Amino acid sequence: MTSQTATTNRRKLVVESSVTDKKKARGKVKGTIIGPIIALVIFLSLWQSIPVVFDIKPFILPKPTDVLQAAIDDWHLLWPAIQITVTESIIGFVISAIVGVGISILLASSRILEVSLYPYAVILQTIPVVAIAPIIVIWFGSGFNSIVIISFLIGFFPVVSNTLMGLNSVDKNMGDLFTLYNASKWQTMWKLRIPAAMPYMMSGLKISCTLAIVGAITGEFIAGIGGGRGGLGYAITVAAVQLKTPYLFACAITGAIFGIGFYLLVSSASRFMLKSWHESAMKVEK
């Protein structure tokens, strides 16, 4: 009888603990969702009321309702621009990820190459894109190709710098262990250094995905073309010239929404890859 009672009590404790954990998880989810929603409602309320109270004209500061109406009225222009910018950003990001990781592995495999070439990657990053863009347009012409290259150049350096830092930050004891077992340089790279650099690599990709969008929109300011083939950057330029401020806001907000979605997508991929073994992703899961 005593053992049965003890078993029952244990089961009750397990059930109560499980219920408590579920309540805590729900509380965390509600906190992370409700807080931003409240902040957004307050911000939109202030934005809606300020132009009304101070009698600010829509071409100076449009209300959120004006922006929404402009997006609806000019949806036939906005949607093709979104598609073009999204395509350019994704292609630029993918190229920067592949080339950036590949170059990082190459530099990390040779100290001479790293010392010789990495400073030029830094120099390339410090040159303003508005200075490089006209040269790219001269070489590759206006339009899609030049914009993708500009997007790639802006998103390239964070991938290289973060991945290279991860490849060079391998635990010394693990490196000594691979040396003890006579592992070759490439075996150490593929089985130790690259897996250890994954958190750094994913951090670089999360930065790069947002910069790729900035690069695409910036490239469209300089190398964009019209005729139904202009992205959000070109649409913003035209809206500014025509003083269509509500539509300008609609284009900018659309770009921001796409950037947030792109970042969340890459972050989800990062958590999926790291959640089973890396502490940073495991804490997020908890």
Side-chain angles (χ1 to χ4, degrees):
M1 193 74 177
T2 305
S3 61
Q4 289 179 350
T5 304
T7 304
T8 304
N9 290 335
R10 286 197 196 100
R11 288 176 180 172
K12 286 182 179 179
L13 289 171
V14 171
V15 171
E16 289 175 359
S17 176
S18 176
V19 171
T20 304
D21 291 340
K22 287 181 180 179
K23 288 182 178 179
K24 287 182 179 179
R26 287 173 186 169
K28 288 181 180 179
V29 172
K30 288 180 180 178
T32 55
I33 293 175
I34 293 175
I37 290 176
I38 292 173
L40 179 63
V41 170
I42 294 173
F43 172 74
L44 291 177
S45 301
L46 289 172
W47 183 7
Q48 181 72 23
S49 59
I50 287 173
V52 175
V53 172
F54 294 98
D55 193 24
I56 301 174
K57 302 300 180 184
F59 68 88
I60 296 176
L61 179 63
K63 301 185 294 294
T65 51
D66 297 331
V67 175
L68 181 60
Q69 188 61 46
I72 295 171
D73 293 341
D74 293 326
W75 182 250
H76 64 287
L77 299 174
L78 183 59
W79 177 240
I82 292 171
Q83 291 178 304
I84 292 168
T85 300
V86 167
T87 304
E88 293 163 347
S89 302
I90 291 175
I91 294 175
F93 168 70
V94 171
I95 295 173
S96 65
I98 294 172
V99 175
V101 171
I103 289 179
S104 300
I105 293 173
L106 183 65
L107 295 180
S109 63
S110 172
R111 181 61 182 169
I112 296 175
L113 285 177
E114 181 180 350
V115 172
S116 302
L117 299 180
Y118 185 71
Y120 294 102
V122 177
I123 292 172
L124 180 64
Q125 181 67 17
T126 57
I127 299 175
V129 67
V130 292
I132 301 176
I135 300 173
I136 294 173
V137 172
I138 292 172
W139 288 348
F140 299 97
S142 298
F144 188 85
N145 293 338
S146 294
I147 296 168
V148 168
I149 292 171
I150 293 170
S151 176
F152 153 71
L153 289 176
I154 291 182
F156 167 73
F157 185 74
V159 179
V160 173
S161 60
N162 281 269
T163 304
L164 189 59
M165 182 184 296
L167 292 171
N168 291 333
S169 301
V170 176
D171 187 274
K172 186 176 183 300
N173 294 327
M174 292 297 296
D176 293 340
L177 181 63
F178 270 68
T179 303
L180 181 64
Y181 281 94
N182 295 321
S184 66
K185 179 184 289 188
W186 286 107
Q187 285 177 326
T188 304
M189 177 66 73
W190 291 111
K191 296 184 178 180
L192 174 63
R193 300 181 72 182
I194 290 178
M198 284 298 294
Y200 296 86
M201 189 186 304
M202 298 310 298
S203 296
L205 292 177
K206 284 190 280 189
I207 298 171
S208 176
C209 72
T210 55
L211 291 179
I213 300 167
V214 175
I217 294 176
T218 303
E220 288 165 352
F221 281 122
I222 301 168
I225 55 176
R229 292 180 291 171
L232 289 174
Y234 181 80
I236 290 171
T237 303
V238 174
V241 171
Q242 297 176 351
L243 284 181
K244 296 172 62 176
T245 311
Y247 182 60
L248 190 154
F249 270 73
C251 294
I253 292 171
T254 301
I257 292 172
F258 169 56
I260 293 170
F262 201 4
Y263 177 84
L264 292 176
L265 183 64
V266 176
S267 296
S268 299
S270 174
R271 284 198 299 271
F272 177 77
M273 296 178 67
L274 303 176
K275 67 180 181 180
S276 62
W277 63 278
H278 196 264
E279 189 174 343
S280 62
M282 291 169 69
K283 285 181 180 179
V284 173
E285 291 295 318
K286 290 178 182 178

